[in-house]
Structures are given as C-alpha cells and as structure tokens.
Amino acid sequence: MNTKLRLTILSFLQFFIWGSWLITIGAYWFQTKQWSGAKFGLIFSTMGLASIVMPSLMGILADKYINAEKLYGILHLLGGVMLAIVPSVASPETMFVVMLLNMFFYMPTLSLSIAVSYSVLKREGLDVVKDYPPIRVWGTIGFIAAMWTVSLLGFEKSGNQFYVAAIAAVILGLYAFTLPKCPPLSKGTPSRSLVDTLGLKSFALLRDPKMLTFFLFAMLLGAALQLTNAYGDTFLHDFDKIPAYQETFAVQHPAMIMSISQISETLFILAIPFFLRRFGIKQVMLFSMIAWVLRFGLLAYGNPGTGLWMIILSCIVYGMAFDFFNISGSLFVETQTTSSIRASAQGLFMMMTNGFGAVLGSSVSGWVIQEYFTNPTDQSKDWPSIWLTFAAYALVIAVLFVVLFRHKHNPQAVEDPQTEPLLSTSEA
C-alpha cells in the first residue's frame, strides 16, 4: 500500500475516534443520563489533565525504549477498552475515572501520530512540510465523518456513540502494528534530567513579560474552546422540548450542524498566511477573540427555525476563532524562541491551551451553568444567558489583550522567523 495512503488512514482514524463522542457526549450526559452540569465540567477537564503530563511521558518511552508505532497501537487498544466500558457506567464519579483513563491513553497518541508520520515520510525521502499537511487534513475529515456517522445512526444521545469510537480505536490500534517500524532513536544515549525531558525549562520563558502575557491569554482562550465542544450539541438537543422545533433538521441531527465548525476550520487554515502578512500576529489573534464573541453571541439568539442562519454563521465563525489563535499562536512561539527550547516552548503553548486552559474552562463553566443557569426543579437551562455570559467572557479577554499584550508587527518575521531576536531560557 502507498505510504501516503497508509498515513492518511492513520490520520483519518485518529480523529474519527475523537469525533465519535467529543461533540455529542454532552447530549448523552444531559439528555440521557440527566447528570449535573458541574460534574460534566469535570469530564471535559480530563483532556486537560491528561495533556499536562502524558504526551511528554509517552514521548520518553518512544524516544528511548519502545517503537513509536507499537506504543501508539498499544495506547489505542487500551483507550478502546475504556471507551467500550463507558455505556455501562452508572454514576458521574465512575464516568470521570473511566474517561480520565481514556484520555490518558488517547491524548499522547495525538503527538505520537505526528511522530510516526514524520518518521515514515522522512524514511521514504518525502518532504514533511509539503507532504504531511494533505495527510493531516484527512484527520479533520475523519472527525466530521464520525460526527455524521453518530448522528445518522441516531446515537447522539446514546451510549452507542462510545462503541463506535471503541471499534475505531481497536481497528487503529491493530493497524498501527502493520506500519513501518519507528525504533527509539535515543536508545542507549545518556538520560537527560526529568526537567529537561518534560520540557519544564521552557517555563523560564514566563519571566519575560510579553511571553507571560501571551501564555496567560493562551490559557484563557483554551478555556473558551471547551465551551462549545462541551455544550453545543446538547444546546440544540434541548430545542426538542419545544414542539415547534422538534421536527427540524438541526434538532434531529445537531452533530451534523455542528460539523460545519470543522469544515470552516479547514478553510480558514488556508487564509492564515495572508492575514499574518497583512495584519500581524497580534491582530490575527485579536480577530480570533472577536470571533469567539460572535460565536457565542450568535448561539444566544439562534434557534433551529428562523434563527438557524445564526447557528450556521456561528459555526462558520468558529473556524476563525479556533485557527487564528492556535495556528498564529504557534507561529508566535516559533518566532520568539531559540531552537534549543523551541520544541518545549511549543509544548508549553499546548499545555496552557489544551492542559490548564481546558481544565479551567471545563470545571468553571460546568459549575457556573449548574449554579446560575439551571432550573433546580426540572434541570432546564437558560441557554441565551449561558451563551451571552460566554460572549462577555470572550469580549473581556479581547479588551484586556489589546491593552496588555505588547507586540509590534514585523512582516519580514512572518516570512523568515529568524529575523527577530529569539529568547532562550537563560535570556527570559
């Protein structure tokens, strides 16, 4: 089988697993199990908790002790077992433990999938920069395909969505063992300190005021990302309680409507180079924050009937909200740090967004929704007020970002990152 095709299958299944439940778990939690919002926030925090430590630890194993493709396969098999257990879970507390274990196994595979793909492409003499993006885009397509599969099968509010994810995880786990070997390249080399290995020296960058400000905003924006992932699908499902909307397509297949967000994401990626050259990193990141305000604000006033256009526009805006901070933020880190800590600095960026930011957004939003926007009698939720509160949160972040983040646009730095002064841990 062609190498690119084999890696395309890997990328497709990698995100098919996640897409099978990430957007629809809220509907299962609130509509079927009818558990509390505060405890649901803890479920989404499992991604953040796992992202803080597991990718680095599994990276150590792949670098020094075990083939990356084998470790990748083992983790997916273990994750598949955890996903298969989810439908039988009878309490929120047990659900937290099972999903935490699942995330411990799944989150490291995001970076391992890249490591395996890069290793195979380089061995084949292919250009990673040129050949990997067309492969990676199939991951987003896999995510969308999973959402559509779960929706068309009628599993959005059912525990069967986790069986779909579990089957995909087992298939990918077994498939990984057929991939070209990716042996540990650092086997037998002197061990670095745990601080070096986990990239903790990059925390010294926080001594630099500009970098400290940037990473704090990265954490706050990471929190915003969790809000629509967690509540978008169940928000549409709640319209099923209103007779006028029960037969609408958006209520019957919310995941398919929400998948427009991922489609938009793939398109906005293509626009990033132009916006970076024209406006600079600070302005592009500000556009992202404004897009978050619009994302939440449009959901507040949208509905599956005459207001469906607002929900669809909100999904389109999501592409800018997500891409313009995550991609441009990654580039900002690239242009500000020396090669000796660049990888760990990128790890710190991911830790702040997908780690601490995810934990903050998931836990706090769950508590706020339960305490202030949930009717204690019938557990119904005041969705317009919820979304407007989130919009206000994003607006405050945007205003503070304009005031506090100091960075001057250098068009040449976008074309050549080496033109700017770079920070090392000793200089920060």
Side-chain angles (χ1 to χ4, degrees):
M1 188 185 298
N2 178 275
T3 297
K4 292 183 182 179
L5 178 58
R6 298 187 72 182
L7 296 179
T8 296
I9 294 172
L10 179 151
S11 185
F12 182 91
L13 290 173
Q14 173 71 44
F15 288 92
F16 185 97
I17 296 166
W18 213 2
S20 298
W21 64 265
L22 181 66
I23 305 301
T24 50
I25 188 175
Y28 174 72
W29 182 280
F30 290 109
Q31 310 291 327
T32 302
K33 291 297 187 179
Q34 298 185 343
W35 289 332
S36 78
K39 292 180 179 179
F40 178 67
L42 293 177
I43 295 299
F44 256 72
S45 73
T46 59
M47 288 181 286
L49 293 172
S51 296
I52 291 172
V53 293
M54 287 301 291
S56 296
L57 292 177
M58 293 301 101
I60 297 171
L61 292 181
D63 282 343
K64 296 183 68 67
Y65 302 110
I66 183 173
N67 282 22
E69 85 284 355
K70 291 181 180 178
L71 179 60
Y72 180 73
I74 292 169
L75 290 171
H76 273 303
L77 291 174
L78 292 173
V81 172
M82 292 299 105
L83 287 166
I85 292 174
V86 172
S88 64
V89 170
S91 70
E93 292 75 18
T94 306
M95 181 78 155
F96 172 79
V97 174
V98 173
M99 288 305 295
L100 181 61
L101 289 173
N102 173 53
M103 287 291 94
F104 273 9
F105 298 136
Y106 182 81
M107 295 310 288
T109 64
L110 293 172
S111 56
L112 283 173
S113 68
I114 297 174
V116 170
S117 297
Y118 281 10
S119 176
V120 174
L121 287 172
K122 289 179 179 178
R123 185 178 308 158
E124 295 288 328
L126 298 172
D127 185 346
V128 171
V129 175
K130 175 184 176 182
D131 295 315
Y132 182 68
I135 293 171
R136 171 57 184 83
V137 77
W138 280 93
T140 302
I141 294 173
F143 194 97
I144 296 169
M147 293 175 66
W148 282 47
T149 299
V150 168
S151 182
L152 292 173
L153 290 174
F155 292 165
E156 290 192 34
K157 295 188 285 186
S158 166
N160 289 337
Q161 62 185 275
F162 300 102
Y163 289 134
V164 173
I167 291 170
V170 171
I171 291 173
L172 181 53
L174 296 174
Y175 175 72
F177 285 92
T178 72
L179 294 171
K181 296 185 183 301
C182 305
L185 299 180
S186 299
K187 188 174 183 179
T189 60
S191 297
R192 297 182 296 168
S193 69
L194 187 61
V195 170
D196 285 335
T197 303
L198 297 181
L200 298 181
K201 279 191 174 181
S202 62
F203 276 92
L205 292 172
L206 300 181
R207 294 200 300 263
D208 179 75
K210 182 168 68 173
M211 297 303 291
L212 173 61
T213 304
F214 169 78
F215 282 119
L216 287 176
F217 279 102
M219 180 181 70
L220 295 174
L221 263 292
L225 173 61
Q226 300 308 311
L227 303 179
T228 46
N229 281 346
Y231 303 107
D233 189 70
T234 191
F235 156 68
L236 288 177
H237 272 294
D238 264 359
F239 280 101
D240 188 44
K241 300 170 184 175
I242 304 174
Y245 299 125
Q246 288 176 348
E247 301 301 320
T248 60
F249 182 86
V251 172
Q252 294 294 315
H253 301 285
M256 295 177 71
I257 295 296
M258 299 307 292
S259 71
I260 297 172
S261 299
Q262 280 66 46
I263 297 171
S264 172
E265 181 186 331
T266 63
L267 298 176
F268 270 104
I269 288 176
L270 303 177
I272 287 176
F274 166 78
F275 276 87
L276 283 176
R277 286 192 297 267
R278 178 66 179 82
F279 298 102
I281 288 176
K282 179 176 180 178
Q283 293 282 22
V284 169
M285 290 192 292
L286 179 60
F287 292 158
S288 167
M289 296 173 190
I290 295 172
W292 279 117
V293 176
L294 293 174
R295 163 72 157 172
F296 298 134
L298 287 166
L299 288 177
Y301 294 104
N303 64 64
T306 57
L308 180 60
W309 68 271
M310 293 188 186
I311 295 175
I312 292 176
L313 183 57
S314 171
C315 291
I316 295 172
V317 165
Y318 171 88
M320 176 181 285
F322 180 82
D323 288 334
F324 276 28
F325 185 81
N326 283 269
I327 305 299
S328 61
S330 172
L331 180 59
F332 175 75
V333 173
E334 173 73 11
T335 61
Q336 298 298 304
T337 55
T338 63
S339 58
S340 62
I341 62 163
R342 195 164 288 151
S344 57
Q346 292 289 352
L348 178 58
F349 176 59
M350 295 303 295
M351 185 184 295
M352 296 300 285
T353 53
N354 293 337
F356 296 123
V359 173
L360 174 68
S362 302
S363 54
V364 174
S365 66
W367 176 80
V368 169
I369 289 174
Q370 186 66 30
E371 289 295 317
Y372 298 103
F373 302 113
T374 301
N375 187 316
T377 303
D378 59 5
Q379 294 298 302
S380 62
K381 292 169 179 58
D382 181 3
W383 286 112
S385 297
I386 291 172
W387 293 126
L388 287 175
T389 299
F390 292 165
Y393 168 78
L395 181 59
V396 170
I397 292 176
V399 172
L400 291 175
F401 183 77
V402 171
V403 174
L404 298 177
F405 185 66
R406 306 291 184 182
H407 181 74
K408 186 176 181 180
H409 175 40
N410 180 0
Q412 189 179 357
V414 177
E415 304 294 341
D416 180 9
Q418 302 304 322
T419 58
E420 286 200 352
L422 305 180
L423 285 172
S424 66
T425 53
S426 60
E427 295 166 334

